[in-house]
Structure formats: structure tokens, C-alpha cells
Coordinates of all heavy atoms in Angstrom, one line a residue:
M139 N 97.5 266.7 -122.7 CA 96.7 265.7 -121.9 C 95.3 266.0 -122.0 O 94.9 267.1 -121.7 CB 97.3 265.6 -120.5 CG 96.6 264.6 -119.7 SD 97.2 264.5 -118.0 CE 98.2 263.1 -118.2
S140 N 94.4 265.0 -122.3 CA 93.0 265.3 -122.4 C 92.4 265.1 -121.0 O 92.8 264.2 -120.3 CB 92.3 264.4 -123.4 OG 92.5 263.1 -123.1
S141 N 91.3 265.8 -120.8 CA 90.6 265.6 -119.5 C 89.6 264.5 -119.7 O 89.1 264.2 -120.7 CB 89.9 266.9 -119.0 OG 88.9 267.2 -120.0
I142 N 89.3 263.8 -118.6 CA 88.3 262.7 -118.6 C 87.0 263.3 -117.9 O 87.1 263.7 -116.8 CB 88.8 261.5 -117.9 CG1 90.1 261.0 -118.5 CG2 87.8 260.4 -117.8 CD1 90.7 259.8 -117.8
D143 N 85.9 263.3 -118.6 CA 84.7 263.7 -118.0 C 84.0 262.6 -117.3 O 84.2 261.4 -117.5 CB 83.8 264.4 -119.0 CG 83.3 263.5 -120.1 OD1 82.6 262.6 -119.8 OD2 83.6 263.8 -121.3
S144 N 83.1 263.0 -116.4 CA 82.4 262.0 -115.5 C 81.5 261.0 -116.4 O 81.4 259.8 -116.0 CB 81.6 262.7 -114.5 OG 80.5 263.4 -115.1
E145 N 81.0 261.4 -117.5 CA 80.2 260.5 -118.3 C 81.1 259.4 -118.9 O 80.7 258.2 -118.9 CB 79.5 261.2 -119.5 CG 78.3 262.0 -119.1 CD 77.6 262.5 -120.3 OE1 77.8 262.1 -121.4 OE2 76.8 263.5 -120.1
N146 N 82.3 259.7 -119.3 CA 83.2 258.7 -119.8 C 83.6 257.7 -118.7 O 83.6 256.5 -118.9 CB 84.4 259.3 -120.4 CG 84.1 259.9 -121.8 OD1 83.1 259.6 -122.4 ND2 85.0 260.8 -122.2
V147 N 83.8 258.2 -117.5 CA 84.2 257.4 -116.4 C 83.1 256.5 -116.1 O 83.3 255.2 -115.8 CB 84.6 258.2 -115.2 CG1 84.9 257.3 -114.0 CG2 85.9 259.0 -115.5
T148 N 81.8 257.0 -116.0 CA 80.7 256.2 -115.7 C 80.5 255.1 -116.7 O 80.2 253.9 -116.4 CB 79.4 257.1 -115.6 OG1 79.6 258.1 -114.6 CG2 78.2 256.2 -115.3
A149 N 80.7 255.4 -118.0 CA 80.5 254.4 -119.1 C 81.6 253.3 -118.9 O 81.3 252.1 -119.1 CB 80.6 255.1 -120.4
I150 N 82.8 253.7 -118.6 CA 83.8 252.7 -118.4 C 83.5 251.7 -117.3 O 83.7 250.5 -117.3 CB 85.2 253.3 -118.2 CG1 85.6 254.0 -119.5 CG2 86.3 252.4 -117.7 CD1 86.8 255.0 -119.3
I151 N 83.1 252.3 -116.1 CA 82.7 251.5 -115.0 C 81.6 250.6 -115.3 O 81.6 249.4 -115.0 CB 82.4 252.4 -113.8 CG1 83.7 253.1 -113.3 CG2 81.7 251.6 -112.6 CD1 83.5 254.1 -112.2
Q152 N 80.5 251.1 -116.0 CA 79.4 250.2 -116.3 C 79.8 249.1 -117.2 O 79.4 247.9 -117.0 CB 78.3 251.1 -117.0 CG 77.6 252.0 -116.0 CD 76.6 252.9 -116.6 OE1 76.6 253.1 -117.9 NE2 75.8 253.5 -115.8
K153 N 80.6 249.4 -118.3 CA 81.1 248.3 -119.1 C 82.0 247.3 -118.3 O 81.8 246.1 -118.6 CB 82.0 248.9 -120.3 CG 81.1 249.6 -121.3 CD 81.9 250.2 -122.4 CE 81.1 251.0 -123.3 NZ 81.9 251.7 -124.3
S154 N 82.8 247.7 -117.4 CA 83.6 246.8 -116.6 C 82.7 246.0 -115.7 O 82.9 244.8 -115.6 CB 84.6 247.6 -115.7 OG 85.5 248.3 -116.5
S155 N 81.6 246.5 -115.2 CA 80.7 245.8 -114.3 C 80.0 244.7 -115.1 O 79.9 243.6 -114.7 CB 79.7 246.7 -113.7 OG 80.3 247.6 -112.8
L156 N 79.6 245.1 -116.3 CA 78.9 244.1 -117.2 C 79.8 243.0 -117.6 O 79.4 241.8 -117.5 CB 78.4 244.8 -118.4 CG 77.2 245.7 -118.3 CD1 76.9 246.5 -119.6 CD2 75.9 244.9 -118.0
H157 N 81.0 243.3 -117.9 CA 82.0 242.3 -118.3 C 82.3 241.3 -117.1 O 82.2 240.1 -117.2 CB 83.3 242.9 -118.7 CG 84.4 241.9 -119.0 ND1 84.4 241.1 -120.1 CD2 85.5 241.6 -118.3 CE1 85.4 240.3 -120.1 NE2 86.1 240.6 -119.0
I158 N 82.5 241.9 -115.9 CA 82.8 241.1 -114.8 C 81.6 240.2 -114.4 O 81.7 239.0 -114.1 CB 83.2 241.9 -113.6 CG1 84.6 242.5 -113.8 CG2 83.1 241.1 -112.3 CD1 84.9 243.6 -112.8
Y159 N 80.4 240.8 -114.5 CA 79.2 240.0 -114.2 C 79.0 238.8 -115.1 O 78.8 237.7 -114.7 CB 77.9 240.9 -114.2 CG 76.7 240.1 -114.0 CD1 76.4 239.5 -112.8 CD2 75.9 239.8 -115.1 CE1 75.2 238.8 -112.6 CE2 74.8 239.0 -114.9 CZ 74.4 238.5 -113.7 OH 73.4 237.8 -113.6
H160 N 79.1 239.1 -116.4 CA 78.8 238.1 -117.5 C 79.9 237.0 -117.5 O 79.6 235.9 -117.9 CB 78.6 238.7 -118.8 CG 77.3 239.5 -118.9 ND1 76.1 238.8 -118.9 CD2 77.0 240.8 -119.0 CE1 75.1 239.7 -118.9 NE2 75.6 240.9 -119.0
E161 N 81.1 237.3 -117.1 CA 82.2 236.4 -117.1 C 82.3 235.6 -115.8 O 83.0 234.6 -115.7 CB 83.5 237.1 -117.4 CG 83.6 237.8 -118.7 CD 83.5 236.8 -119.9 OE1 84.1 235.7 -119.8 OE2 82.8 237.1 -120.8
S162 N 81.6 236.0 -114.8 CA 81.7 235.4 -113.5 C 80.8 234.2 -113.3 O 79.6 234.3 -113.5 CB 81.4 236.4 -112.4 OG 81.4 235.7 -111.1
P163 N 81.4 233.0 -113.0 CA 80.5 231.8 -112.9 C 79.8 231.7 -111.5 O 79.0 230.9 -111.3 CB 81.5 230.6 -113.0 CG 82.8 231.2 -112.6 CD 82.8 232.7 -113.0
T164 N 80.2 232.7 -110.6 CA 79.7 232.6 -109.2 C 78.3 233.2 -109.1 O 77.6 233.0 -108.1 CB 80.6 233.3 -108.2 OG1 80.8 234.6 -108.6 CG2 82.0 232.6 -108.2
F165 N 77.9 234.1 -110.1 CA 76.6 234.7 -110.0 C 75.5 233.9 -110.5 O 75.6 233.4 -111.6 CB 76.6 236.0 -110.8 CG 77.3 237.2 -110.1 CD1 77.9 238.2 -110.9 CD2 77.4 237.3 -108.8 CE1 78.5 239.3 -110.3 CE2 78.1 238.4 -108.2 CZ 78.6 239.3 -109.0
A166 N 74.5 233.6 -109.7 CA 73.3 232.9 -110.2 C 72.3 234.1 -110.6 O 72.1 234.9 -109.8 CB 72.7 232.1 -109.1
R167 N 71.8 234.0 -111.8 CA 70.9 235.0 -112.2 C 69.6 234.9 -111.4 O 69.1 233.9 -111.2 CB 70.6 234.9 -113.7 CG 71.9 235.3 -114.5 CD 71.7 235.4 -116.0 NE 70.9 236.5 -116.6 CZ 71.3 237.7 -116.7 NH1 72.5 238.1 -116.2 NH2 70.6 238.6 -117.4
M168 N 69.1 236.1 -111.0 CA 67.8 236.2 -110.3 C 66.9 237.1 -111.1 O 67.4 238.1 -111.7 CB 68.1 236.8 -108.9 CG 69.0 235.9 -108.0 SD 69.4 236.7 -106.5 CE 67.9 236.6 -105.6
T169 N 65.6 237.0 -110.9 CA 64.7 237.9 -111.5 C 64.6 239.2 -110.6 O 65.0 239.1 -109.5 CB 63.3 237.3 -111.6 OG1 62.8 237.0 -110.4 CG2 63.3 236.0 -112.5
I170 N 64.0 240.2 -111.2 CA 63.8 241.4 -110.4 C 63.0 241.1 -109.2 O 63.3 241.6 -108.1 CB 63.3 242.6 -111.3 CG1 64.2 242.9 -112.5 CG2 63.0 243.8 -110.5 CD1 65.6 243.4 -112.0
P171 N 61.8 240.4 -109.3 CA 61.0 240.1 -108.1 C 61.8 239.3 -107.1 O 61.6 239.5 -105.9 CB 59.8 239.3 -108.7 CG 59.7 239.8 -110.1 CD 61.1 240.0 -110.6
E172 N 62.6 238.4 -107.5 CA 63.5 237.6 -106.6 C 64.4 238.6 -105.9 O 64.7 238.4 -104.6 CB 64.2 236.5 -107.3 CG 63.4 235.4 -107.8 CD 64.1 234.4 -108.7 OE1 65.1 234.8 -109.4 OE2 63.7 233.2 -108.6
L173 N 65.0 239.5 -106.6 CA 66.0 240.4 -106.0 C 65.2 241.3 -105.0 O 65.7 241.6 -103.9 CB 66.7 241.3 -107.0 CG 67.8 240.7 -107.7 CD1 68.3 241.5 -108.9 CD2 69.0 240.5 -106.8
K174 N 64.1 241.8 -105.3 CA 63.3 242.6 -104.4 C 63.0 241.9 -103.1 O 63.1 242.4 -102.0 CB 62.0 243.1 -105.1 CG 62.2 244.2 -106.1 CD 60.8 244.7 -106.6 CE 61.1 245.9 -107.5 NZ 59.8 246.4 -108.1
A175 N 62.5 240.6 -103.3 CA 62.2 239.8 -102.1 C 63.5 239.6 -101.2 O 63.4 239.6 -100.0 CB 61.7 238.4 -102.5
A176 N 64.6 239.4 -101.9 CA 65.8 239.2 -101.1 C 66.5 240.4 -100.5 O 67.1 240.4 -99.4 CB 66.9 238.5 -102.0
L177 N 66.3 241.6 -101.1 CA 67.0 242.8 -100.7 C 66.2 243.8 -99.9 O 66.7 244.6 -99.1 CB 67.6 243.5 -101.9 CG 68.7 242.6 -102.6 CD1 69.2 243.4 -103.9 CD2 69.9 242.3 -101.8
L178 N 64.9 243.9 -100.3 CA 64.1 245.0 -99.6 C 63.6 244.6 -98.2 O 63.6 243.4 -97.9 CB 62.9 245.3 -100.5 CG 63.2 245.9 -101.9 CD1 62.0 246.2 -102.7 CD2 64.1 247.2 -101.7
N179 N 63.3 245.6 -97.4 CA 62.8 245.4 -96.0 C 63.9 244.7 -95.1 O 63.5 243.9 -94.3 CB 61.5 244.6 -96.1 CG 60.4 245.3 -96.8 OD1 60.3 246.5 -96.7 ND2 59.7 244.6 -97.6
R180 N 65.1 245.0 -95.4 CA 66.2 244.6 -94.5 C 67.0 245.8 -94.1 O 66.9 246.8 -94.7 CB 67.2 243.6 -95.3 CG 66.6 242.3 -95.5 CD 67.5 241.4 -96.3 NE 68.9 241.4 -95.8 CZ 70.0 240.9 -96.4 NH1 69.9 240.5 -97.7 NH2 71.2 240.9 -95.8
E181 N 67.7 245.6 -93.0 CA 68.5 246.7 -92.5 C 69.9 246.4 -93.0 O 70.4 245.2 -92.9 CB 68.5 246.8 -90.9 CG 67.2 247.2 -90.4 CD 66.8 248.6 -90.7 OE1 67.7 249.5 -90.7 OE2 65.6 248.8 -91.0
Y182 N 70.7 247.4 -93.4 CA 72.0 247.3 -93.9 C 72.9 248.3 -93.2 O 72.5 249.4 -92.8 CB 72.1 247.6 -95.4 CG 71.3 246.6 -96.2 CD1 70.1 246.9 -96.7 CD2 71.8 245.3 -96.5 CE1 69.3 246.0 -97.5 CE2 71.2 244.4 -97.3 CZ 69.9 244.7 -97.8 OH 69.2 243.8 -98.5
E183 N 74.2 247.9 -93.0 CA 75.2 248.8 -92.5 C 75.5 249.9 -93.6 O 75.2 249.8 -94.7 CB 76.4 248.1 -92.1 CG 76.3 247.0 -91.1 CD 77.5 246.3 -90.7 OE1 78.6 246.7 -91.2 OE2 77.4 245.3 -90.0
D184 N 76.2 250.9 -93.1 CA 76.7 251.9 -94.1 C 78.0 251.4 -94.7 O 78.7 250.5 -94.2 CB 77.1 253.2 -93.4 CG 75.8 253.9 -92.8 OD1 74.7 253.7 -93.4 OD2 75.9 254.7 -91.9
N185 N 78.3 251.9 -95.9 CA 79.6 251.7 -96.6 C 79.8 250.2 -96.9 O 80.7 249.5 -96.4 CB 80.8 252.2 -95.8 CG 80.7 253.6 -95.5 OD1 80.3 254.4 -96.4 ND2 81.1 254.0 -94.3
I186 N 78.9 249.7 -97.8 CA 79.0 248.3 -98.2 C 79.8 248.2 -99.5 O 79.3 248.8 -100.5 CB 77.6 247.7 -98.4 CG1 76.8 247.8 -97.1 CG2 77.6 246.3 -99.0 CD1 75.3 247.5 -97.3
R187 N 80.9 247.6 -99.5 CA 81.7 247.4 -100.7 C 81.1 246.3 -101.6 O 81.0 245.1 -101.2 CB 83.2 247.1 -100.4 CG 84.1 247.0 -101.6 CD 85.5 246.9 -101.3 NE 86.0 248.2 -100.6 CZ 86.2 249.3 -101.3 NH1 86.1 249.4 -102.6 NH2 86.7 250.4 -100.6
I188 N 80.7 246.7 -102.8 CA 80.1 245.8 -103.7 C 81.0 245.3 -104.8 O 80.8 244.3 -105.5 CB 78.7 246.2 -104.3 CG1 78.9 247.5 -105.2 CG2 77.7 246.4 -103.2 CD1 77.6 247.9 -105.9
S189 N 82.1 246.0 -105.0 CA 83.2 245.6 -105.9 C 84.4 246.4 -105.5 O 84.4 247.2 -104.6 CB 82.8 246.0 -107.4 OG 82.9 247.3 -107.6
E190 N 85.5 246.2 -106.2 CA 86.8 246.8 -105.9 C 86.7 248.3 -106.0 O 87.3 249.0 -105.3 CB 87.8 246.3 -106.9 CG 89.2 246.8 -106.7 CD 90.2 246.2 -107.6 OE1 90.0 245.1 -108.1 OE2 91.1 246.9 -108.0
W191 N 85.8 248.8 -106.9 CA 85.7 250.3 -107.1 C 84.4 250.9 -106.7 O 84.1 252.0 -107.0 CB 86.1 250.6 -108.5 CG 85.1 249.9 -109.5 CD1 83.9 250.3 -109.9 CD2 85.3 248.6 -110.1 NE1 83.3 249.4 -110.8 CE2 84.2 248.4 -110.9 CE3 86.4 247.7 -110.1 CZ2 84.0 247.2 -111.6 CZ3 86.2 246.5 -110.8 CH2 85.1 246.3 -111.6
M192 N 83.5 250.1 -106.1 CA 82.1 250.6 -105.8 C 81.8 250.3 -104.3 O 81.9 249.2 -103.8 CB 81.0 250.0 -106.6 CG 81.1 250.5 -108.1 SD 79.6 249.8 -109.0 CE 80.3 248.4 -109.7
V193 N 81.4 251.4 -103.6 CA 81.0 251.3 -102.2 C 79.6 251.9 -102.1 O 79.4 253.1 -102.6 CB 81.9 252.0 -101.3 CG1 81.4 252.0 -99.8 CG2 83.3 251.4 -101.3
V194 N 78.6 251.3 -101.5 CA 77.3 251.8 -101.3 C 77.3 252.5 -100.0 O 77.5 251.9 -99.0 CB 76.2 250.7 -101.4 CG1 74.9 251.2 -101.0 CG2 76.2 250.0 -102.8
L195 N 77.0 253.8 -100.0 CA 77.0 254.5 -98.7 C 75.7 254.5 -98.0 O 75.6 254.5 -96.8 CB 77.4 256.0 -99.0 CG 78.8 256.2 -99.7 CD1 79.0 257.7 -100.0 CD2 79.9 255.6 -98.8
N196 N 74.6 254.5 -98.8 CA 73.2 254.5 -98.3 C 72.5 253.4 -98.9 O 72.0 253.6 -100.1 CB 72.6 255.9 -98.5 CG 71.2 256.0 -97.9 OD1 70.4 255.0 -98.0 ND2 70.9 257.1 -97.4
A197 N 72.3 252.3 -98.4 CA 71.7 251.1 -99.0 C 70.2 251.4 -99.4 O 69.8 251.0 -100.5 CB 71.8 249.9 -98.1
K198 N 69.5 252.0 -98.6 CA 68.0 252.3 -98.9 C 67.9 253.1 -100.2 O 67.1 252.8 -101.1 CB 67.4 253.0 -97.7 CG 65.9 253.2 -97.9 CD 65.3 253.8 -96.6 CE 63.8 253.9 -96.8 NZ 63.1 254.5 -95.6
S199 N 68.6 254.2 -100.3 CA 68.6 255.0 -101.5 C 69.2 254.3 -102.7 O 68.6 254.4 -103.8 CB 69.5 256.3 -101.2 OG 69.5 257.1 -102.3
F200 N 70.3 253.6 -102.5 CA 70.9 252.8 -103.6 C 69.9 251.8 -104.2 O 69.7 251.7 -105.4 CB 72.1 252.0 -103.0 CG 72.7 251.0 -104.0 CD1 73.5 251.4 -105.0 CD2 72.3 249.7 -103.9 CE1 74.0 250.5 -106.0 CE2 72.8 248.7 -104.8 CZ 73.7 249.1 -105.8
L201 N 69.2 251.0 -103.3 CA 68.2 250.1 -103.8 C 67.1 250.7 -104.5 O 66.6 250.3 -105.6 CB 67.7 249.2 -102.6 CG 68.8 248.3 -102.0 CD1 68.2 247.6 -100.7 CD2 69.2 247.2 -103.0
R202 N 66.6 251.8 -104.0 CA 65.4 252.5 -104.6 C 65.8 253.0 -106.0 O 65.1 252.7 -107.0 CB 65.0 253.7 -103.7 CG 63.9 254.6 -104.3 CD 63.6 255.7 -103.4 NE 64.7 256.5 -103.0 CZ 65.3 257.5 -103.7 NH1 64.9 257.7 -104.9 NH2 66.3 258.1 -103.2
I203 N 67.0 253.5 -106.2 CA 67.4 254.0 -107.5 C 67.7 252.9 -108.4 O 67.3 252.9 -109.6 CB 68.7 254.9 -107.3 CG1 68.3 256.2 -106.6 CG2 69.3 255.2 -108.6 CD1 69.5 257.0 -106.0
Q204 N 68.3 251.8 -108.0 CA 68.6 250.7 -108.9 C 67.4 250.0 -109.3 O 67.3 249.7 -110.5 CB 69.6 249.7 -108.2 CG 70.9 250.3 -107.7 CD 71.6 251.2 -108.8 OE1 71.8 250.8 -109.9 NE2 71.9 252.4 -108.3
F205 N 66.4 249.8 -108.4 CA 65.2 249.1 -108.9 C 64.4 250.1 -109.8 O 63.8 249.6 -110.8 CB 64.3 248.7 -107.7 CG 64.8 247.5 -107.0 CD1 65.2 247.4 -105.7 CD2 64.8 246.2 -107.7 CE1 65.7 246.3 -105.1 CE2 65.3 245.1 -107.1 CZ 65.7 245.1 -105.8
A206 N 64.4 251.3 -109.6 CA 63.7 252.3 -110.5 C 64.4 252.2 -111.9 O 63.7 252.3 -112.9 CB 63.7 253.7 -109.9
D207 N 65.7 252.2 -111.9 CA 66.4 252.1 -113.2 C 66.0 250.8 -113.9 O 65.8 250.8 -115.2 CB 67.9 252.1 -113.1 CG 68.4 253.6 -112.8 OD1 67.6 254.5 -112.8 OD2 69.6 253.7 -112.5
C208 N 65.9 249.7 -113.2 CA 65.5 248.4 -113.8 C 64.1 248.5 -114.4 O 63.8 247.9 -115.4 CB 65.6 247.3 -112.8 SG 67.3 246.8 -112.5
E209 N 63.2 249.1 -113.6 CA 61.8 249.3 -114.1 C 61.7 250.1 -115.4 O 60.8 249.8 -116.2 CB 61.0 249.8 -113.0 CG 60.7 248.9 -111.8 CD 60.0 249.5 -110.7 OE1 59.5 250.7 -110.8 OE2 59.9 248.9 -109.6
R210 N 62.6 251.0 -115.6 CA 62.5 251.8 -116.8 C 63.2 251.2 -118.0 O 63.0 251.6 -119.1 CB 63.2 253.2 -116.5 CG 62.4 254.2 -115.7 CD 63.0 255.5 -115.7 NE 64.3 255.6 -115.0 CZ 64.5 255.8 -113.7 NH1 63.4 256.0 -112.9 NH2 65.7 255.8 -113.2
A211 N 64.0 250.2 -117.7 CA 64.8 249.6 -118.8 C 63.9 248.6 -119.7 O 63.0 248.0 -119.2 CB 66.0 248.7 -118.2
K212 N 64.3 248.6 -121.0 CA 63.5 247.7 -121.8 C 63.9 246.2 -121.5 O 63.0 245.3 -121.6 CB 63.9 247.9 -123.3 CG 63.4 249.3 -123.8 CD 63.8 249.5 -125.3 CE 63.3 250.8 -125.7 NZ 63.7 251.1 -127.1
E213 N 65.1 245.9 -121.2 CA 65.5 244.6 -120.8 C 66.2 244.7 -119.4 O 67.4 244.9 -119.3 CB 66.5 244.0 -121.7 CG 66.0 243.8 -123.1 CD 67.0 243.3 -124.1 OE1 67.9 242.6 -123.6 OE2 66.8 243.5 -125.3
P214 N 65.3 244.7 -118.3 CA 65.9 245.0 -117.0 C 67.0 244.1 -116.5 O 67.9 244.6 -115.9 CB 64.6 244.7 -116.1 CG 63.5 244.8 -117.0 CD 63.9 244.4 -118.3
E215 N 67.1 242.9 -116.9 CA 68.1 242.0 -116.5 C 69.4 242.1 -117.3 O 70.3 241.4 -117.1 CB 67.6 240.6 -116.4 CG 66.6 240.5 -115.3 CD 65.7 239.3 -115.3 OE1 65.9 238.4 -116.2 OE2 64.8 239.2 -114.4
N216 N 69.4 243.1 -118.2 CA 70.6 243.4 -119.0 C 71.1 244.8 -118.8 O 72.0 245.2 -119.4 CB 70.4 243.1 -120.5 CG 70.3 241.7 -120.8 OD1 71.0 240.8 -120.2 ND2 69.5 241.3 -121.7
C217 N 70.5 245.5 -117.8 CA 70.9 246.9 -117.6 C 71.9 247.0 -116.5 O 72.1 246.1 -115.7 CB 69.7 247.8 -117.3 SG 69.0 247.6 -115.7
P218 N 72.8 248.0 -116.5 CA 73.8 248.2 -115.5 C 73.3 248.2 -114.1 O 73.9 247.7 -113.1 CB 74.4 249.6 -115.8 CG 74.2 249.7 -117.3 CD 72.9 249.1 -117.5
A219 N 72.0 248.7 -113.8 CA 71.5 248.7 -112.5 C 71.3 247.3 -112.0 O 71.4 247.0 -110.8 CB 70.1 249.5 -112.5
Y220 N 70.9 246.4 -112.9 CA 70.7 245.0 -112.5 C 72.0 244.4 -112.0 O 72.0 243.7 -111.0 CB 70.1 244.2 -113.7 CG 70.0 242.7 -113.4 CD1 69.0 242.2 -112.7 CD2 71.0 241.8 -113.8 CE1 68.8 240.8 -112.3 CE2 70.9 240.5 -113.5 CZ 69.8 240.0 -112.8 OH 69.8 238.6 -112.6
I221 N 73.1 244.7 -112.7 CA 74.4 244.2 -112.4 C 74.8 244.7 -111.0 O 75.3 244.0 -110.1 CB 75.5 244.5 -113.4 CG1 75.4 243.6 -114.6 CG2 76.9 244.3 -112.9 CD1 74.3 243.7 -115.5
R222 N 74.5 246.0 -110.8 CA 74.8 246.6 -109.5 C 74.0 245.9 -108.4 O 74.5 245.7 -107.2 CB 74.6 248.1 -109.5 CG 75.7 248.8 -110.3 CD 75.6 250.3 -110.2 NE 74.4 250.8 -110.8 CZ 74.3 251.2 -112.1 NH1 75.4 251.1 -112.9 NH2 73.2 251.7 -112.5
L223 N 72.7 245.6 -108.6 CA 71.9 244.9 -107.6 C 72.4 243.5 -107.4 O 72.4 243.1 -106.2 CB 70.4 244.8 -108.1 CG 69.6 246.1 -108.1 CD1 68.3 246.0 -108.9 CD2 69.4 246.5 -106.7
M224 N 72.9 242.8 -108.4 CA 73.5 241.5 -108.2 C 74.7 241.6 -107.4 O 75.0 240.7 -106.5 CB 73.7 240.8 -109.5 CG 72.5 240.3 -110.2 SD 71.5 239.1 -109.2 CE 72.7 237.8 -108.9
L225 N 75.6 242.6 -107.6 CA 76.8 242.8 -106.9 C 76.5 243.1 -105.4 O 77.1 242.5 -104.5 CB 77.6 244.0 -107.4 CG 78.3 243.7 -108.8 CD1 78.8 245.0 -109.3 CD2 79.4 242.7 -108.6
F226 N 75.4 243.9 -105.2 CA 74.9 244.2 -103.8 C 74.4 242.9 -103.1 O 74.8 242.7 -102.0 CB 73.8 245.3 -103.9 CG 73.4 245.8 -102.5 CD1 74.1 246.8 -101.9 CD2 72.3 245.2 -101.9 CE1 73.7 247.3 -100.6 CE2 72.0 245.6 -100.6 CZ 72.7 246.7 -100.0
Y227 N 73.7 242.1 -103.8 CA 73.1 240.9 -103.3 C 74.3 240.0 -102.9 O 74.3 239.5 -101.8 CB 72.3 240.2 -104.3 CG 71.9 238.8 -103.9 CD1 70.9 238.6 -102.9 CD2 72.5 237.7 -104.4 CE1 70.5 237.3 -102.5 CE2 72.2 236.4 -104.0 CZ 71.2 236.3 -103.0 OH 70.9 235.0 -102.6
E228 N 75.3 239.8 -103.8 CA 76.5 239.0 -103.4 C 77.2 239.5 -102.2 O 77.7 238.7 -101.4 CB 77.4 238.9 -104.6 CG 76.8 238.0 -105.8 CD 76.7 236.6 -105.5 OE1 77.6 236.0 -104.8 OE2 75.7 236.0 -105.9
A229 N 77.3 240.8 -102.1 CA 78.0 241.4 -101.0 C 77.3 241.3 -99.7 O 77.9 241.3 -98.6 CB 78.4 242.9 -101.3
T230 N 76.0 241.1 -99.7 CA 75.2 241.2 -98.5 C 74.4 239.9 -98.2 O 73.8 239.8 -97.1 CB 74.1 242.3 -98.5 OG1 73.2 242.1 -99.6 CG2 74.8 243.7 -98.6
K231 N 74.5 238.9 -99.0 CA 73.8 237.7 -98.7 C 74.3 237.0 -97.5 O 75.5 237.0 -97.3 CB 73.8 236.7 -100.0 CG 75.1 236.1 -100.3 CD 74.9 235.2 -101.5 CE 76.3 234.5 -101.8 NZ 76.1 233.7 -103.0
P232 N 73.5 236.4 -96.8 CA 73.9 235.6 -95.6 C 74.8 234.5 -95.9 O 74.6 233.8 -96.9 CB 72.6 235.1 -94.9 CG 71.5 235.9 -95.6 CD 72.0 236.3 -96.9
T233 N 75.8 234.3 -95.1 CA 76.7 233.2 -95.4 C 76.2 231.9 -94.6 O 75.5 232.0 -93.6 CB 78.1 233.5 -94.8 OG1 78.1 233.8 -93.5 CG2 78.8 234.6 -95.6
A234 N 76.5 230.8 -95.2 CA 76.0 229.5 -94.7 C 76.8 229.1 -93.4 O 77.8 229.5 -93.1 CB 76.1 228.4 -95.7

């Protein structure tokens, strides 16, 4: 039996996130500035479930890291961090 290293697991999760995001009709694409306006300078609870297999433990740190990853990406709205930000937005947006 072969062992699974953390890089492979991370790659699988990222590919799954991209697939779910791109196949989901419920997500409205937002620009990075729109996401920043919607997500920053708000208070969040701990342990926010953004997908079946992802829970954000510290929202402030999570957002800082995801936005930094987007800023470093050549195509920010196609990088895994963008998908995680959209999942976070969907999980925390106010309900009507």
C-alpha cells in the first residue's frame, strides 16, 4: 500500500474545489475588489464550514492568506484561493 503525502491530498482538494465551483450554477462570479469589499472589515465566528471538507478556523488569517495568494496569481480569478474565497463568501453572506 502506498502512502499519500500532503501535497497530493492538497492537489486533489484543489481540483475538487475548482470542479465544484465551475460546475455550480449558484455561484455568481465576483471580482477580487468586490470580494474584498464584501468580506473584509467584518466580524466572523470561529469554525466556518465552507464546504463538506473545509472548515475555516480563523477567518481573519484565512482571508489574509487567500487574498495574498490571489494577488500573486497570474489569473487571480482562476486560482484555488479565489475559489476558497467564493466558498467563504457563499457560507457567510447574509440571508434575505
Side-chain angles (χ1 to χ4, degrees):
M139 178 180 262
S140 64
S141 65
I142 299 175
D143 63 63
S144 63
E145 278 186 26
N146 287 338
V147 172
T148 301
I150 290 167
I151 289 171
Q152 288 174 345
K153 287 178 185 175
S154 297
S155 296
L156 286 168
H157 174 73
I158 289 169
Y159 173 75
H160 288 294
E161 296 297 318
S162 175
T164 61
F165 283 154
R167 289 185 76 72
M168 297 174 73
T169 64
I170 300 299
E172 288 172 331
L173 279 169
K174 283 183 176 182
L177 298 174
L178 297 179
N179 301 317
R180 286 180 50 196
E181 294 293 322
Y182 296 101
E183 297 179 12
D184 293 334
N185 301 323
I186 300 167
R187 181 167 297 281
I188 63 172
S189 77
E190 184 178 326
W191 59 85
M192 286 188 268
V193 176
V194 174
L195 302 178
N196 181 323
K198 185 176 181 178
S199 178
F200 170 82
L201 292 171
R202 180 179 47 80
I203 292 166
Q204 301 315 305
F205 281 119
D207 285 352
C208 286
E209 289 173 8
R210 285 191 294 270
K212 290 181 183 177
E213 296 180 26
E215 292 164 2
N216 289 325
C217 74
Y220 175 80
I221 282 72
R222 289 187 291 271
L223 286 168
M224 286 301 303
L225 290 168
F226 186 86
Y227 172 77
E228 289 293 320
T230 61
K231 71 180 179 182
T233 56

